[in-house]
Amino acid sequence: MKDKVCRNDMLPFVEKPGRYIGGEVNASRRRPTDRTLNMVLAFPDTYEVGMSHLGLQILYGLLREDPAVVPERAFAPWPDMERRMRREGSPLLSLESGTPLHRFDLVGFSLQYELSYTNVLAMLDLGRIPLFSKERGEEDPLVIAGGPSAFNPLPMAPFIDAFVIGEGEEALLEITALLGAMKEKKIRREERLLRLGEIEGVYVPRFHGREKRIRKRVLADLGAWTGPRDPVVPVIKTVHDRVTLEIARGCTRGCRFCQAGMVWRPVRERPAGTLLEMAGSMIESTGGDEISLLSLSSGDYSAIGDLMEALMDRSVRERVALALPSLRVETLTERLIHEIQRVRKTSFTLAPEAGTQRLRDVINKGNREEDLLKAAGTVFHAGWRSLKLYFMMGLPTETREDLEGIVDLAFKVLREGGFRRQVTVSLSTFVPKPHTPFQWSRQLSLEEIRERQDFFKKNIRHRNLNLKWHDGSMSLLEGLFSRGDERLAALVHEAFRKGCRMDGWSDVFSFAPWEKAMETLGMVPESFLGEIDRTAPLPWDFVQSGVDKAFLASEYEKALREEGTADCRTGPCSQCGACTKEIRLVLEKENPVLTAKEGPPGGEEIREDPRRYRVRFAKRGNGRFLSHLETATALVRAFKRTGFSFRFSEGFHPQPRISFTNATPVGMESLCEFADLSLRQPLQPGQRLLDAVNAALPEGLDLLSVEEISSGTPSLGVWIGGYVYLVALPPAVALAPDDVDERIREFIGKESVMVRKNRKGKTREQDLRSPVHRFSRNGTGEVLEMEMRFRKGGAMNPLDIVAHVFGLEEESARAVRIVKKDPVLPGEGKTHV
Ligand code: SF4
């Protein structure tokens, strides 16, 4: 099928068009050629999820450094976009150059969770790549995949040409180097795959079956791999909208349900000095205002106190907050809380996982009730108003007493906050994962999940206790794919054909088509969820995660005996098998040098000479698809990257002092957006400043002018009395020029045009006529010009007026192109240019 490429034409009609526009700060601007290896990193979820994922940023950053490789990104389109793409015959395109996926040399999927599998198929299909590996020909790209779910590759094996098991950095560079060389020599597909399969950690299902042992890749020296210091800055709000600093990999706590804690062993901590440098460069290159310290258990990082203090000293002045998303209860010291509190109170989550000490011993969680209550008390005492607690239902050996323990613990935590703070109890279902001691355990059936949910609904009742849980049928599917084999591929395929997409999104997920797909295939889900005989071979046995199967089995036995295993970070080595001659535990020592103050202390205030500036900027091209908030965020980040030192508001969440004009609707271009900034020190307005800020803005946003304003300058709301708009009707609105004139005349001739408008469930009357001061065709007659003045009752969307005057239905109205051209100065009746 010939590609009909028209993504931009579709954007006015879809939800969150900013997902598809690219042009971000720090994104690659190089374009694919015949002489480069062209790779698209495909994330089988939305832009917001994919851009929050550190692995994607790491691999993209690595490839961006290689002149022989052109890296691009593609994300799964939301169902509304997919429908439109299919209707318009448009393939899935890469974000950077708008190249259809099938024209790349290499497509690399990130398999983060099992419920994204149908999205993988949708992306292949939309990208015009045959779904099954065996159906791909010489012209098709090679399709590879990595990520945690690749530790059991079998359910996706028929769709993927090669899997990378383990940490991807070194392996991906080896793969791209090999494929680049073979592209030059025009080596045939079969040979390319054979050679790929010789790289350590690469599994090629077609050649390897279940025979070859595939040992995971792991980086020996994490300090030598720093990840991108200039990560791509998303243009829209993402799930984790912050700079991520990966402080360590691996976890040796040994929780028996946790796959990440087993497969990413051993612990390797990055040197604290390197982390400080990385944090500085990342904040500078992104203009971000929050750093998240990432690892499987950030409180375990050996020099966490010193690292946080040093980070805070450097960032407190610019209000860069710190987040530690994965804190274990017992690592939450007063010093840590104090450091987090110095800038902003980010949310707190604690994960006891089980309700009784007995079950916490079974899962080897280690923490005790007194640790949890002490941590909760400290958090509340430090001023946090809410706390989230994570628990799992259906853990091996669970009894009624363990469920009652969760209720009991929730109330005890509530009591720590004097019954006045909010406590959210979040419940998920235990899913046995491959390569863990509990890989042989059974999983709860849907009925059992429902019974437990009913129990908690009845027993967790208090106005300050919220109850949340993960959808049981989603957990059931996760369980099927986690421990499934090649037979599950048929289920992914059938579910894809039945329209399943975005199955990890509870608001989109529907279990009914999955049930139908299982019925069609005669598949009984319970047959995959039961207890597995420990002497039987497992489908994923050929994948060597580093941790020995004998160790996992002995841990399972210990769990049944309610015996713990010490953390090898502090206790003896329990011979799990993850350490080798080359790969060992690497711990950072407490490092007081980090916190030694150089020159003026970081937190000390600099001498202020406050100034105010009024800036004018434009939203053009795809920039028009950014919302008001996204535009404001991009602007503030660009100013920060250029060295503007903002004054901040007081209060709980200090914000830069900046005020904007009324929001311009998404989809409308504007040449006259304004903002007033309050800075701590003077600027040097001029072309150099404009150039510097513009280089730091995403495509589609341009700073046009910067002027200093005095304290007597009227605020933007007072200064601007309205706007002049240019309007271009879409070709589908086939009106003769005389008809256009006639409709405008008729509208202008009326005193008022009252319409009822429904917004957020409320209906109100609006006079469309009153704000329109002037409306006519301009000189060439192609474009209309409309001047609107502000009236009491809030700003009106010019599109509502245009749609009414020309009788446009919603679809045609969205295709109208409107440009906000100039502001109108009040009282003068003329435009300000
Ligand atoms: S081999 Fe020993 S030291 Fe290494 S991760 Fe396993 S238990 Fe820890």
Side-chain angles (χ1 to χ4, degrees):
M1 195 194 301
K2 207 171 165 316
D3 294 327
K4 188 182 162 207
V5 181
C6 52
R7 180 167 59 195
N8 289 354
D9 298 345
M10 295 185 284
L11 296 183
F13 306 98
V14 297
E15 199 183 310
K16 289 200 192 170
R19 286 169 170 157
Y20 311 102
I21 62 177
E24 306 102 317
V25 169
N26 298 334
S28 167
R29 300 283 187 265
R30 289 161 53 221
R31 294 296 172 250
T33 71
D34 289 343
R35 289 196 303 282
T36 50
L37 184 85
N38 308 316
M39 176 174 190
V40 62
L41 294 167
F43 198 93
D45 208 315
T46 61
Y47 177 88
E48 305 91 286
V49 176
M51 287 304 293
S52 300
H53 179 59
L54 178 66
L56 181 77
Q57 292 270 17
I58 291 176
L59 298 181
Y60 185 78
L62 267 183
L63 297 178
R64 211 178 36 184
E65 301 293 299
D66 185 346
V69 181
V70 173
E72 302 207 26
R73 291 159 297 148
F75 299 90
W78 196 247
D80 66 336
M81 182 60 152
E82 181 178 341
R83 278 194 297 276
R84 205 158 268 274
M85 288 165 74
R86 292 190 185 279
R87 202 173 91 187
E88 305 285 337
S90 173
L92 181 61
L93 308 176
S94 64
L95 210 55
E96 283 81 352
S97 66
T99 303
L101 257 53
H102 68 91
R103 293 208 202 137
F104 282 86
D105 300 309
L106 186 59
V107 177
F109 280 100
S110 172
L111 303 179
Q112 293 302 313
Y113 31 84
E114 293 77 8
L115 295 186
S116 66
Y117 287 172
T118 54
N119 286 353
V120 173
L121 267 58
M123 290 178 79
L124 288 171
D125 189 49
L126 288 165
R128 310 247 162 96
I129 300 170
L131 294 185
F132 291 93
S133 173
K134 63 180 182 211
E135 289 169 0
R136 290 178 200 136
E138 291 301 324
E139 296 304 312
D140 293 311
L142 291 186
V143 178
I144 63 172
S149 300
F151 276 93
N152 176 16
L154 296 183
M156 289 298 280
F159 312 112
I160 304 292
D161 298 319
F163 291 86
V164 179
I165 312 292
E167 294 170 353
E169 288 96 331
E170 284 176 323
L172 186 60
L173 292 184
E174 289 165 28
I175 289 170
T176 51
L178 179 72
L179 291 179
M182 290 198 286
K183 179 177 179 179
E184 226 170 74
K185 294 185 189 146
K186 298 195 167 36
I187 306 286
R188 291 184 65 78
R189 184 180 185 88
E190 197 75 353
E191 174 70 14
R192 277 181 281 155
L193 277 173
L194 259 176
R195 299 277 305 279
L196 264 193
E198 289 165 9
I199 294 177
E200 197 193 337
V202 175
Y203 168 61
V204 181
R206 191 182 326 177
F207 300 128
H208 298 153
R210 294 192 192 185
E211 311 312 316
K212 188 179 169 189
R213 307 267 114 186
I214 309 291
R215 188 165 176 84
K216 78 162 181 203
R217 295 297 294 261
V218 55
L219 300 181
D221 181 5
L222 199 61
W225 296 83
T226 58
R229 287 166 187 252
D230 51 351
V232 178
V233 185
V235 279
I236 65 171
K237 192 166 167 46
T238 55
V239 178
H240 302 299
D241 207 6
R242 51 203 180 199
V243 167
T244 307
L245 187 65
E246 189 188 25
I247 59 176
R249 278 190 199 168
C251 174
T252 43
R253 288 278 183 169
C255 299
R256 291 172 176 139
F257 57 84
C258 178
Q259 189 187 46
M262 294 292 153
V263 300
W264 303 122
R265 285 177 174 219
V267 166
R268 288 142 296 144
E269 295 180 343
R270 264 204 178 105
T274 310
L275 290 171
L276 274 186
E277 275 172 41
M278 287 167 68
S281 323
M282 286 197 283
I283 288 295
E284 240 168 66
S285 69
T286 61
D289 64 358
E290 185 168 344
I291 303 179
S292 172
L293 303 193
L294 185 81
S295 82
L296 290 170
S297 172
S298 36
D300 276 335
Y301 181 80
S302 305
I304 189 69
D306 288 342
L307 175 68
M308 290 217 24
E309 198 176 326
L311 281 170
M312 291 307 309
D313 283 346
R314 293 186 181 193
S315 58
V316 78
R317 197 176 53 228
E318 289 304 329
R319 309 298 204 275
V320 175
L322 280 187
L324 284 94
S326 46
L327 275 175
R328 286 179 62 95
V329 167
E330 62 278 28
T331 62
L332 198 57
T333 59
E334 299 223 359
R335 182 181 179 193
L336 261 190
I337 290 181
H338 170 73
E339 293 302 337
I340 299 170
Q341 217 187 353
R342 280 171 68 187
V343 169
R344 200 180 301 158
K345 292 184 177 65
T346 46
S347 61
F348 246 113
T349 300
L350 301 174
E353 314 285 3
T356 60
Q357 196 54 50
R358 186 200 69 79
L359 194 52
R360 283 195 293 275
D361 289 342
V362 169
I363 63 176
N364 202 36
K365 183 69 189 179
N367 59 40
R368 313 195 68 78
E369 185 173 301
E370 48 272 31
D371 299 327
L372 175 81
L373 296 180
K374 189 167 156 238
T378 316
V379 167
F380 288 138
H381 184 70
W384 271 268
R385 318 208 121 263
S386 62
L387 191 64
K388 200 169 180 182
L389 300 174
Y390 267 121
F391 292 99
M392 264 189 275
M393 307 183 290
L395 283 162
T397 78
E398 181 192 79
T399 63
R400 175 90 178 182
E401 205 177 303
D402 299 308
L403 302 180
E404 284 162 0
I406 292 178
V407 179
D408 195 36
L409 207 47
F411 276 98
K412 283 181 180 163
V413 170
L414 199 62
R415 193 173 59 206
E416 287 295 323
F419 292 93
R420 291 191 309 275
R421 308 294 164 92
Q422 287 288 329
V423 176
T424 300
V425 175
S426 182
L427 290 156
S428 62
T429 303
F430 161 68
V431 175
K433 292 279 181 178
H435 307 286
T436 66
F438 288 164
Q439 62 183 350
W440 294 280
S441 311
R442 73 178 286 269
Q443 183 175 337
L444 294 182
S445 67
L446 275 180
E447 206 186 316
E448 289 168 309
I449 294 173
R450 277 185 207 121
E451 276 169 21
R452 280 160 176 77
Q453 288 175 344
D454 287 343
F455 168 81
F456 288 116
K457 264 193 248 171
K458 263 189 223 135
N459 290 286
I460 296 201
R461 282 191 171 182
H462 188 281
R463 66 193 158 85
N464 288 337
L465 263 183
N466 306 317
L467 190 57
K468 283 193 176 158
W469 49 67
H470 194 66
D471 188 315
S473 45
M474 288 163 109
S475 303
L476 178 129
L477 290 178
E478 193 188 331
L480 282 185
F481 289 109
S482 291
R483 297 193 300 169
D485 54 24
E486 297 90 338
R487 288 172 290 170
L488 269 298
L491 181 60
V492 184
H493 188 226
E494 192 57 31
F496 158 74
R497 279 161 35 95
K498 290 196 159 28
C500 295
R501 305 285 189 277
M502 299 286 168
D503 299 299
W505 291 75
S506 50
D507 49 341
V508 177
F509 176 74
S510 165
F511 191 48
W514 281 98
E515 284 181 303
K516 281 210 185 92
M518 288 187 237
E519 207 180 295
T520 309
L521 298 168
M523 192 174 267
V524 182
E526 286 71 26
S527 63
F528 290 90
L529 302 178
E531 172 119 14
I532 299 177
D533 176 0
R534 261 170 289 151
T535 58
L538 297 167
W540 52 90
D541 273 348
F542 67 94
V543 175
Q544 299 192 319
S545 72
V547 175
D548 296 334
K549 196 174 174 186
F551 170 78
L552 299 177
S554 81
E555 280 295 290
Y556 190 52
E557 297 288 343
K558 282 171 94 175
L560 299 181
R561 295 197 302 270
E562 299 169 15
E563 269 176 36
T565 297
D567 182 348
C568 61
R569 172 198 288 272
T570 45
C573 166
S574 38
Q575 307 294 337
C576 77
C579 290
T580 61
K581 239 195 239 155
E582 301 81 33
I583 316 283
R584 348 204 99 263
L585 216 60
V586 181
L587 302 181
E588 177 68 348
K589 294 282 160 276
E590 279 291 324
N591 193 343
V593 177
L594 289 177
T595 48
K597 309 281 188 288
E598 298 159 11
E604 193 175 288
E605 290 296 313
I606 54 168
R607 212 159 58 82
E608 293 208 1
D609 180 7
R611 304 295 172 101
R612 289 178 67 221
Y613 295 89
R614 179 157 293 171
V615 300
R616 177 174 180 161
F617 62 99
K619 285 169 80 171
R620 288 185 268 227
N622 281 346
R624 74 185 193 276
F625 295 116
L626 298 177
S627 70
H628 184 63
L629 188 63
E630 288 153 6
T631 306
T633 306
L635 212 64
V636 170
R637 283 179 176 161
F639 289 144
K640 283 188 176 174
R641 288 183 69 207
T642 323
F644 287 34
S645 182
F646 278 97
R647 300 183 73 211
F648 279 82
S649 62
E650 305 292 328
F652 205 58
H653 290 299
Q655 296 294 326
R657 289 199 179 169
I658 178 165
S659 54
F660 289 86
T661 39
N662 289 349
T664 299
V666 173
M668 188 181 295
E669 289 180 81
S670 172
L671 306 177
C672 54
E673 298 292 291
F674 292 91
D676 285 352
L677 331 175
S678 192
L679 302 184
R680 288 145 52 98
Q681 289 188 314
L683 292 173
Q684 292 272 315
Q687 194 55 45
R688 274 176 67 176
L689 183 80
L690 295 185
D691 291 345
V693 175
N694 283 328
L697 278 168
E699 282 173 21
L701 296 183
D702 296 293
L703 187 66
L704 304 176
S705 66
V706 178
E707 275 174 34
E708 187 164 355
I709 51 176
S710 67
S711 54
T713 307
S715 69
L716 287 167
V718 174
W719 186 57
I720 298 172
Y723 290 101
V724 176
Y725 298 91
L726 298 179
V727 180
L729 297 174
V733 180
L735 283 176
D738 286 350
D739 288 339
V740 171
D741 290 342
E742 179 52 34
R743 291 197 185 211
I744 293 175
R745 246 196 321 271
E746 192 188 320
F747 175 75
I748 291 289
K750 289 182 180 159
E751 284 255 312
S752 66
V753 177
M754 301 307 293
V755 291
R756 290 169 81 80
K757 185 119 175 123
N758 212 327
R759 218 166 156 242
K760 291 182 185 164
K762 283 190 185 158
T763 308
R764 66 185 182 112
E765 284 224 310
Q766 268 189 334
D767 180 4
L768 294 180
R769 174 64 188 87
S770 91
V772 181
H773 188 71
R774 183 162 64 77
F775 196 2
S776 62
R777 249 176 337 122
N778 74 358
T780 61
E782 299 285 311
V783 177
L784 315 176
E785 195 164 303
M786 177 166 68
E787 182 177 323
M788 286 173 68
R789 302 279 179 93
F790 294 144
R791 294 282 179 267
K792 271 191 190 148
M796 203 175 285
N797 187 343
L799 187 58
D800 291 342
I801 297 165
V802 175
H804 177 85
V805 171
F806 298 102
L808 307 180
E809 297 295 330
E810 196 187 339
E811 181 86 0
S812 331
R814 286 191 186 211
V816 173
R817 194 96 185 229
I818 299 184
V819 180
K820 197 178 186 185
K821 183 172 155 259
D822 286 309
V824 177
L825 289 179
E828 295 181 4
K830 65 173 185 178
T831 57
H832 170 87
V833 181

PDB file of all heavy atoms in Angstrom, residues 252 265-267 551 568-569 572-579 584-585, ligand 1:
ATOM      1  N   THR A 252      19.194  -5.847  46.602  1.00  0.00           N
ATOM      2  CA  THR A 252      19.510  -7.150  47.190  1.00  0.00           C
ATOM      3  C   THR A 252      18.696  -7.394  48.446  1.00  0.00           C
ATOM      4  O   THR A 252      19.014  -8.265  49.243  1.00  0.00           O
ATOM      5  CB  THR A 252      21.020  -7.227  47.511  1.00  0.00           C
ATOM      6  OG1 THR A 252      21.399  -5.992  48.086  1.00  0.00           O
ATOM      7  CG2 THR A 252      21.817  -7.489  46.272  1.00  0.00           C
ATOM      8  N   ARG A 265      19.964  -7.750  39.624  1.00  0.00           N
ATOM      9  CA  ARG A 265      21.090  -7.898  40.549  1.00  0.00           C
ATOM     10  C   ARG A 265      22.405  -7.917  39.793  1.00  0.00           C
ATOM     11  O   ARG A 265      22.417  -8.283  38.629  1.00  0.00           O
ATOM     12  CB  ARG A 265      20.956  -9.209  41.334  1.00  0.00           C
ATOM     13  CG  ARG A 265      19.917  -9.145  42.400  1.00  0.00           C
ATOM     14  CD  ARG A 265      19.790 -10.487  43.081  1.00  0.00           C
ATOM     15  NE  ARG A 265      18.873 -10.336  44.198  1.00  0.00           N
ATOM     16  CZ  ARG A 265      19.037 -10.924  45.383  1.00  0.00           C
ATOM     17  NH1 ARG A 265      20.070 -11.714  45.594  1.00  0.00           N
ATOM     18  NH2 ARG A 265      18.178 -10.749  46.347  1.00  0.00           N
ATOM     19  N   PRO A 266      23.551  -7.674  40.364  1.00  0.00           N
ATOM     20  CA  PRO A 266      23.740  -7.203  41.727  1.00  0.00           C
ATOM     21  C   PRO A 266      23.562  -5.682  41.830  1.00  0.00           C
ATOM     22  O   PRO A 266      23.438  -5.016  40.800  1.00  0.00           O
ATOM     23  CB  PRO A 266      25.185  -7.591  42.025  1.00  0.00           C
ATOM     24  CG  PRO A 266      25.869  -7.585  40.706  1.00  0.00           C
ATOM     25  CD  PRO A 266      24.827  -7.970  39.691  1.00  0.00           C
ATOM     26  N   VAL A 267      23.583  -5.186  43.056  1.00  0.00           N
ATOM     27  CA  VAL A 267      23.468  -3.736  43.266  1.00  0.00           C
ATOM     28  C   VAL A 267      24.734  -3.056  42.750  1.00  0.00           C
ATOM     29  O   VAL A 267      25.843  -3.497  43.030  1.00  0.00           O
ATOM     30  CB  VAL A 267      23.302  -3.428  44.773  1.00  0.00           C
ATOM     31  CG1 VAL A 267      23.517  -1.944  45.043  1.00  0.00           C
ATOM     32  CG2 VAL A 267      21.936  -3.861  45.250  1.00  0.00           C
ATOM     33  N   PHE A 551      18.716 -21.317  43.797  1.00  0.00           N
ATOM     34  CA  PHE A 551      18.576 -20.277  44.827  1.00  0.00           C
ATOM     35  C   PHE A 551      17.102 -19.882  44.959  1.00  0.00           C
ATOM     36  O   PHE A 551      16.576 -19.749  46.073  1.00  0.00           O
ATOM     37  CB  PHE A 551      19.428 -19.052  44.449  1.00  0.00           C
ATOM     38  CG  PHE A 551      19.171 -17.848  45.313  1.00  0.00           C
ATOM     39  CD1 PHE A 551      19.709 -17.752  46.591  1.00  0.00           C
ATOM     40  CD2 PHE A 551      18.376 -16.797  44.847  1.00  0.00           C
ATOM     41  CE1 PHE A 551      19.452 -16.638  47.392  1.00  0.00           C
ATOM     42  CE2 PHE A 551      18.119 -15.685  45.638  1.00  0.00           C
ATOM     43  CZ  PHE A 551      18.662 -15.606  46.918  1.00  0.00           C
ATOM     44  N   CYS A 568      22.456  -9.029  51.208  1.00  0.00           N
ATOM     45  CA  CYS A 568      23.901  -9.253  51.077  1.00  0.00           C
ATOM     46  C   CYS A 568      24.685  -7.938  51.078  1.00  0.00           C
ATOM     47  O   CYS A 568      25.901  -7.949  51.148  1.00  0.00           O
ATOM     48  CB  CYS A 568      24.206 -10.056  49.829  1.00  0.00           C
ATOM     49  SG  CYS A 568      23.688  -9.237  48.331  1.00  0.00           S
ATOM     50  N   ARG A 569      23.984  -6.828  51.003  1.00  0.00           N
ATOM     51  CA  ARG A 569      24.650  -5.516  51.104  1.00  0.00           C
ATOM     52  C   ARG A 569      25.248  -5.358  52.515  1.00  0.00           C
ATOM     53  O   ARG A 569      26.321  -4.811  52.692  1.00  0.00           O
ATOM     54  CB  ARG A 569      23.603  -4.443  50.847  1.00  0.00           C
ATOM     55  CG  ARG A 569      24.017  -3.036  51.082  1.00  0.00           C
ATOM     56  CD  ARG A 569      22.760  -2.195  51.220  1.00  0.00           C
ATOM     57  NE  ARG A 569      22.086  -2.030  49.937  1.00  0.00           N
ATOM     58  CZ  ARG A 569      22.366  -1.062  49.074  1.00  0.00           C
ATOM     59  NH1 ARG A 569      23.301  -0.192  49.343  1.00  0.00           N
ATOM     60  NH2 ARG A 569      21.715  -0.954  47.952  1.00  0.00           N
ATOM     61  N   PRO A 572      25.758 -11.605  54.969  1.00  0.00           N
ATOM     62  CA  PRO A 572      26.597 -12.492  54.146  1.00  0.00           C
ATOM     63  C   PRO A 572      26.008 -12.704  52.750  1.00  0.00           C
ATOM     64  O   PRO A 572      24.810 -12.518  52.544  1.00  0.00           O
ATOM     65  CB  PRO A 572      26.569 -13.803  54.940  1.00  0.00           C
ATOM     66  CG  PRO A 572      25.305 -13.740  55.735  1.00  0.00           C
ATOM     67  CD  PRO A 572      25.025 -12.305  56.019  1.00  0.00           C
ATOM     68  N   CYS A 573      26.859 -13.114  51.825  1.00  0.00           N
ATOM     69  CA  CYS A 573      26.392 -13.443  50.469  1.00  0.00           C
ATOM     70  C   CYS A 573      25.556 -14.721  50.547  1.00  0.00           C
ATOM     71  O   CYS A 573      25.959 -15.690  51.163  1.00  0.00           O
ATOM     72  CB  CYS A 573      27.618 -13.667  49.578  1.00  0.00           C
ATOM     73  SG  CYS A 573      27.208 -14.454  48.012  1.00  0.00           S
ATOM     74  N   SER A 574      24.381 -14.691  49.932  1.00  0.00           N
ATOM     75  CA  SER A 574      23.557 -15.906  49.978  1.00  0.00           C
ATOM     76  C   SER A 574      23.701 -16.719  48.692  1.00  0.00           C
ATOM     77  O   SER A 574      22.854 -17.552  48.391  1.00  0.00           O
ATOM     78  CB  SER A 574      22.100 -15.564  50.291  1.00  0.00           C
ATOM     79  OG  SER A 574      21.730 -14.377  49.660  1.00  0.00           O
ATOM     80  N   GLN A 575      24.745 -16.431  47.958  1.00  0.00           N
ATOM     81  CA  GLN A 575      25.093 -17.233  46.769  1.00  0.00           C
ATOM     82  C   GLN A 575      23.943 -17.301  45.763  1.00  0.00           C
ATOM     83  O   GLN A 575      23.589 -18.368  45.291  1.00  0.00           O
ATOM     84  CB  GLN A 575      25.478 -18.673  47.176  1.00  0.00           C
ATOM     85  CG  GLN A 575      26.539 -18.777  48.237  1.00  0.00           C
ATOM     86  CD  GLN A 575      27.894 -18.265  47.751  1.00  0.00           C
ATOM     87  OE1 GLN A 575      28.171 -18.223  46.557  1.00  0.00           O
ATOM     88  NE2 GLN A 575      28.724 -17.818  48.659  1.00  0.00           N
ATOM     89  N   CYS A 576      23.386 -16.150  45.426  1.00  0.00           N
ATOM     90  CA  CYS A 576      22.265 -16.166  44.479  1.00  0.00           C
ATOM     91  C   CYS A 576      22.754 -16.423  43.054  1.00  0.00           C
ATOM     92  O   CYS A 576      21.981 -16.800  42.187  1.00  0.00           O
ATOM     93  CB  CYS A 576      21.459 -14.869  44.557  1.00  0.00           C
ATOM     94  SG  CYS A 576      22.234 -13.473  43.731  1.00  0.00           S
ATOM     95  N   GLY A 577      24.023 -16.155  42.807  1.00  0.00           N
ATOM     96  CA  GLY A 577      24.580 -16.438  41.475  1.00  0.00           C
ATOM     97  C   GLY A 577      24.770 -15.202  40.611  1.00  0.00           C
ATOM     98  O   GLY A 577      25.357 -15.277  39.532  1.00  0.00           O
ATOM     99  N   ALA A 578      24.277 -14.037  41.086  1.00  0.00           N
ATOM    100  CA  ALA A 578      24.327 -12.845  40.227  1.00  0.00           C
ATOM    101  C   ALA A 578      25.736 -12.264  40.091  1.00  0.00           C
ATOM    102  O   ALA A 578      26.054 -11.631  39.092  1.00  0.00           O
ATOM    103  CB  ALA A 578      23.387 -11.773  40.777  1.00  0.00           C
ATOM    104  N   CYS A 579      26.571 -12.466  41.103  1.00  0.00           N
ATOM    105  CA  CYS A 579      27.920 -11.904  41.017  1.00  0.00           C
ATOM    106  C   CYS A 579      28.846 -12.888  40.306  1.00  0.00           C
ATOM    107  O   CYS A 579      28.750 -14.100  40.502  1.00  0.00           O
ATOM    108  CB  CYS A 579      28.466 -11.604  42.409  1.00  0.00           C
ATOM    109  SG  CYS A 579      27.615 -10.222  43.186  1.00  0.00           S
ATOM    110  N   ARG A 584      30.210  -7.383  40.089  1.00  0.00           N
ATOM    111  CA  ARG A 584      30.049  -7.526  41.535  1.00  0.00           C
ATOM    112  C   ARG A 584      29.258  -6.365  42.119  1.00  0.00           C
ATOM    113  O   ARG A 584      28.955  -5.408  41.425  1.00  0.00           O
ATOM    114  CB  ARG A 584      31.384  -7.567  42.297  1.00  0.00           C
ATOM    115  CG  ARG A 584      32.653  -7.732  41.569  1.00  0.00           C
ATOM    116  CD  ARG A 584      33.732  -8.335  42.478  1.00  0.00           C
ATOM    117  NE  ARG A 584      33.904  -9.779  42.284  1.00  0.00           N
ATOM    118  CZ  ARG A 584      33.359 -10.725  43.028  1.00  0.00           C
ATOM    119  NH1 ARG A 584      32.582 -10.407  44.032  1.00  0.00           N
ATOM    120  NH2 ARG A 584      33.583 -11.991  42.798  1.00  0.00           N
ATOM    121  N   LEU A 585      28.972  -6.537  43.394  1.00  0.00           N
ATOM    122  CA  LEU A 585      28.299  -5.499  44.153  1.00  0.00           C
ATOM    123  C   LEU A 585      29.192  -4.247  44.182  1.00  0.00           C
ATOM    124  O   LEU A 585      30.364  -4.357  44.525  1.00  0.00           O
ATOM    125  CB  LEU A 585      28.178  -6.034  45.581  1.00  0.00           C
ATOM    126  CG  LEU A 585      26.992  -5.747  46.438  1.00  0.00           C
ATOM    127  CD1 LEU A 585      25.723  -6.271  45.804  1.00  0.00           C
ATOM    128  CD2 LEU A 585      27.192  -6.432  47.796  1.00  0.00           C
TER     129      LEU A 585
HETATM  130  S1  SF4 B   1      25.915 -13.319  44.549  1.00  0.00           S
HETATM  131 FE1  SF4 B   1      25.908 -12.848  46.726  1.00  0.00          FE
HETATM  132  S2  SF4 B   1      26.684 -10.749  46.861  1.00  0.00           S
HETATM  133 FE2  SF4 B   1      26.101 -11.109  44.705  1.00  0.00          FE
HETATM  134  S3  SF4 B   1      23.999 -10.343  44.600  1.00  0.00           S
HETATM  135 FE3  SF4 B   1      23.891 -12.553  45.011  1.00  0.00          FE
HETATM  136  S4  SF4 B   1      23.726 -12.715  47.228  1.00  0.00           S
HETATM  137 FE4  SF4 B   1      24.465 -10.641  46.772  1.00  0.00          FE
END
